Amino acid sequence: MAEAIKVLLVDDHQVVRRGLRTFLEVQDDIEVVGEASDGAEGVARAEELKPDVVLMDVKMPGMDGIDALRRLRELANPARVLIVTSFTEQRTVVPALRAGAAGYVYKDVDPDALAGAIRSVHAGHILLQPEVAGVLLSQEGTNPGQGRGGSLTEREREVLGLIADGRSNREIARALVLSEKTVKTHVSNILMKLDLADRTQAALWAVRHGAAG
C-alpha cells in the first residue's frame, strides 16, 4: 500500500478545520498531520511536519495565505499548497497562484472532489480552472519569457506542452519514455530559459504562445 498523503490544515476557523479533518481522516490514502490557525503558524508547522500538501485559507489574521505561500517558497519548502477560498474571494486566487499555489478549491467543494484535488496536486498537477486562467493571461502586462521560446529544444517543447496539459513529472516521463530525473532537468531548463518562476507560469506561457497540446 502506498504511503498516505500527509496534509496540513491552515485556517483561522476551528470549525472549518474540524470539518476538513473529520472528512479527510476517513480517506485511506490521506493523513492529516497537523493544523494551524494563521499563516505564520502554518509556515512554522509546514517546516516542522513536512506535509505533502497544505490546505491554505487566504484571509487570515496576521500573515495571510498569500504571504505564507511566499514565505514557503523563500524557504524552498516542497509542500504543494492548495488554496481553499470562497467564490466571492476569486480575485485573491490570481495572486495566490502567482505566489506559488498548485491550485485552489472553493469552500463549498464536494468532499469527494476535495480529496481528488489533494491527490491531484500531490501527483504534480496544477488545478487551474478556465476562468482563472483567462484572468491570469489577461493580466500579464509584460509577459515573462516573451520571445524566448526559440531557445527551447524540441524535447523541451514537448515537455512544456505536457506541463500545459497538467501532467506530472511521472506522467511526462512515461509519455516520453524518459526517467523522472531527466524530466526534472528539462523542467528546470524550461523555467530558466523562459525566466519563469514555476510550472503554473510555464503552463500559462504555453497557452499564450500556442505550445499547449
Side-chain angles (χ1 to χ4, degrees):
M1 183 175 177
E3 188 174 343
I5 302 168
K6 296 181 291 183
V7 175
L8 173 66
L9 307 176
V10 185
D11 194 295
D12 60 321
H13 292 100
Q14 184 177 5
V15 173
V16 173
R17 297 198 308 271
R18 185 178 300 163
L20 289 170
R21 178 183 280 274
T22 298
F23 168 70
L24 293 176
E25 284 185 338
V26 303
Q27 304 298 311
D28 292 337
D29 59 340
I30 296 175
E31 176 189 3
V32 178
V33 295
E35 300 179 15
S37 59
D38 60 43
E41 184 184 4
V43 171
R45 296 288 278 167
E47 286 291 282
E48 172 194 353
L49 299 171
K50 308 299 182 188
D52 300 307
V53 177
V54 178
L55 286 185
M56 181 89 74
D57 191 12
V58 176
K59 291 186 176 180
M60 294 180 287
M63 182 185 288
D64 65 18
I66 295 173
D67 285 339
L69 266 164
R70 294 186 180 117
R71 182 59 182 149
L72 287 173
R73 174 180 280 181
E74 290 171 1
L75 293 169
N77 190 291
R80 302 274 286 171
V81 178
L82 186 60
I83 289 293
V84 183
T85 185
S86 69
F87 183 79
T88 57
E89 296 169 343
Q90 190 182 98
R91 65 185 180 279
T92 66
V93 173
V94 173
L97 290 169
R98 285 180 172 155
Y104 73 97
V105 292
Y106 293 128
K107 287 188 175 180
D108 62 353
V109 65
D110 177 84
D112 290 332
L114 174 62
I118 290 171
R119 296 181 185 112
S120 182
V121 298
H122 178 251
H125 296 296
I126 299 167
L127 289 182
L128 197 61
Q129 295 189 18
E131 69 271 20
V132 174
V135 173
L136 276 165
L137 288 170
S138 67
Q139 289 188 358
E140 291 290 342
T142 55
N143 184 34
Q146 180 69 42
R148 297 180 183 174
S151 65
L152 298 180
T153 66
E154 186 61 33
R155 179 64 84 186
E156 287 165 355
R157 286 183 171 278
E158 290 177 326
V159 171
L160 179 59
L162 292 171
I163 290 174
D165 287 340
R167 305 285 191 93
S168 65
N169 283 352
R170 178 174 298 179
E171 290 170 329
I172 294 173
R174 288 174 180 169
L176 300 180
V177 195
L178 300 170
S179 69
E180 282 192 61
K181 183 177 180 180
T182 299
V183 172
K184 288 179 181 179
T185 299
H186 284 314
V187 173
S188 296
N189 288 341
I190 289 166
L191 297 180
M192 179 185 66
K193 289 181 178 181
L194 299 181
D195 192 23
L196 302 173
D198 52 40
R199 295 172 75 98
T200 301
Q201 287 192 3
L204 292 170
W205 189 97
V207 171
R208 178 181 282 275
H209 293 83

